[in-house]
Amino acid sequence: MSSTPRSTGRSADSAGRRISTRVGGVLPRTLTNRAMAAFSRLRYGAVLDPLVAVGHHGKVTRTYALTELGVGGWKALDPGLKSLAVMATSVQIGCTWCVDFGYWEAQHQHMDPSKLHDVPVWRTSERFTDLERDVLALAEAETATPPTVDDELAARLTDALGQEAFTELVAIVAVENLRSRINAAMGLSAQGFSDRCEVPMGGPLAQVGED
């Protein structure tokens, strides 16, 4: 493993961009990290900051990568509902990196940007269907400590989605908890992905995404 010294605050990545990190801003040059960085640049146009953070532990990096590879194959849940669940989870935890990246990713899936803007205020917004409201409620209830998902909500979602898609919904919220809590604890902040969208991140999400 790399002998990069531990540091706090902000460090510069290889492109000179300032990133927030608690374990050092330079990705250790291991074979796994080089492969992951190349894939990240090819797919996202940049090395993702979470890779820089977890890249200081080889086994964590490999486990994380295999997990994300498996999650990418989950197709039972409607992508729009999945995006809402992921966004609601990251907003509730307060992971600015996840909000920023989630907005960009949802835009590439042709998600309505007005709904993304209203995720933090979904209870009072008129943009969501009853099913979407239940998905957002599930994401918040599952993310609470301790979780507060009740039988009535679970039954409505199971009836509407089916058992397989409901299981995927519960699982993706748990996965986003893993991502958001790691990224927040590592001190990561928005990487600027939402700036690339045709419709900039605004409203309540802009406040969540501020450094």
Side-chain angles (χ1 to χ4, degrees), residues 164-184:
E164 186 177 18
F166 174 73
T167 301
E168 186 169 315
L169 172 61
V170 171
I172 197 63
V173 171
V175 169
E176 185 55 36
N177 267 266
L178 171 69
R179 296 166 176 157
S180 291
R181 292 181 187 281
I182 288 176
N183 293 343

Side-chain angles (χ1 to χ4, degrees), residues 93-126:
I93 292 173
C95 175
T96 59
W97 191 94
C98 298
V99 171
D100 174 57
F101 182 77
Y103 186 91
W104 175 85
E105 192 171 43
Q107 284 286 280
H108 281 73
Q109 296 171 349
H110 307 292
M111 181 72 187
D112 182 353
S114 65
K115 288 188 176 182
L116 295 174
H117 289 159
D118 280 6
V119 165
V121 292
W122 66 266
R123 286 181 175 82
T124 57
S125 172
E126 298 180 354

Side-chain angles (χ1 to χ4, degrees), residues 43-44 62-79 82-83 85-86 101 105 109 164 167-179:
R43 183 164 183 177
Y44 305 111
R62 289 188 289 274
T63 300
Y64 210 154
L66 289 172
T67 299
E68 291 293 350
L69 184 63
V71 170
W74 297 355
K75 303 297 182 183
L77 182 63
D78 176 80
K82 185 178 297 187
S83 293
V86 167
F101 182 77
E105 192 171 43
Q109 296 171 349
E164 186 177 18
T167 301
E168 186 169 315
L169 172 61
V170 171
I172 197 63
V173 171
V175 169
E176 185 55 36
N177 267 266
L178 171 69
R179 296 166 176 157

Side-chain angles (χ1 to χ4, degrees), residues 114-164:
S114 65
K115 288 188 176 182
L116 295 174
H117 289 159
D118 280 6
V119 165
V121 292
W122 66 266
R123 286 181 175 82
T124 57
S125 172
E126 298 180 354
R127 299 186 188 278
F128 301 104
T129 66
D130 289 342
L131 176 57
E132 289 170 339
R133 290 179 185 281
D134 279 347
V135 167
L136 291 163
L138 183 284
E140 288 194 0
E142 185 179 343
T143 302
T145 304
T148 59
V149 179
D150 59 46
D151 291 341
E152 183 179 351
L153 175 60
R156 287 201 306 270
L157 283 166
T158 303
D159 289 343
L161 301 173
Q163 293 178 335
E164 186 177 18

